[in-house]
Amino acid sequence: DTAAKTDTPIADIRCGTGLVASALNFPHEQIDGIDISVDMPHVSKEKGLYGFLYKVDLTKSLEVIANDYGAALSAGTCTSGHLGPDPLESFLDIARDYALFVIGVKKAFFEEVGFEAVLRDLDARGLIKDLQVAEVPMYAKPGHDHSVDTAFALV
């Protein structure tokens, strides 16, 4: 499926330097960035990629973040050394009902820390629906040490 016009504004969770926002090529007013780091969002701010930047610890309350997003995207957040599946439910609080979520999770990490059980629970409680899990290559560039690594795109 593709995104619809109702899938805006967009929350870029753990936005870093803005690679996701840059790839989306949306007007900056339609994308807000969320990150705990001070330095990396500063770089994305200089690029003019976001309408607003939130400095937030994703393991804590997200109530300071606007809760009217039509979509939330996350790449590189749910991986070893960062976040597991625990904050997924709180991510739902920043978006409208029926918002589009696309979250990338390294396949090995997905299996290691129990994402499947958390997703099944969210689905059973009616908090998510129509979950799609697609295995995708993590890197577009072939021929390096991690070019065979895959991730799951959770939609």
Side-chain angles (χ1 to χ4, degrees):
D1 288 332
T2 58
K5 289 185 181 194
T6 57
D7 296 330
T8 57
I10 300 167
D12 183 359
I13 299 171
R14 197 170 169 268
C15 63
T17 59
L19 291 176
V20 170
S22 181
L24 290 175
N25 198 27
F26 271 72
H28 75 278
E29 309 83 34
Q30 293 184 356
I31 306 176
D32 289 344
I34 303 165
D35 206 300
I36 191 171
S37 169
V38 173
D39 297 331
M40 293 197 335
H42 178 70
V43 172
S44 63
K45 185 176 185 175
E46 288 177 357
K47 294 177 183 177
L49 297 171
Y50 298 103
F52 191 82
L53 284 166
Y54 293 95
K55 182 182 183 296
V56 177
D57 182 342
L58 295 169
T59 64
K60 308 279 191 243
S61 170
L62 302 181
E63 65 184 24
V64 299
I65 299 174
N67 63 352
D68 192 38
Y69 290 103
L73 311 174
S74 178
T77 301
C78 299
T79 187
S80 301
H82 294 288
L83 296 178
D86 295 336
L88 290 179
E89 186 170 344
S90 65
F91 290 177
L92 300 175
D93 292 338
I94 69 169
R96 296 190 297 263
D97 289 346
Y98 307 104
L100 172 66
F101 278 76
V102 181
I103 298 174
V105 182
K106 187 175 180 180
K107 180 182 178 183
F109 189 64
F110 180 95
E111 295 166 349
E112 175 186 325
V113 299
F115 273 87
E116 187 173 348
V118 171
L119 292 168
R120 271 198 313 258
D121 177 64
L122 293 172
D123 184 52
R125 292 189 290 140
L127 297 175
I128 63 172
K129 69 174 203 158
D130 302 329
L131 175 66
Q132 300 170 39
V133 179
E135 189 170 354
V136 296
M138 285 182 56
Y139 302 97
K141 218 176 192 181
H144 64 75
D145 293 346
H146 298 284
S147 60
V148 296
D149 291 352
T150 60
F152 287 129
L154 312 177
V155 180

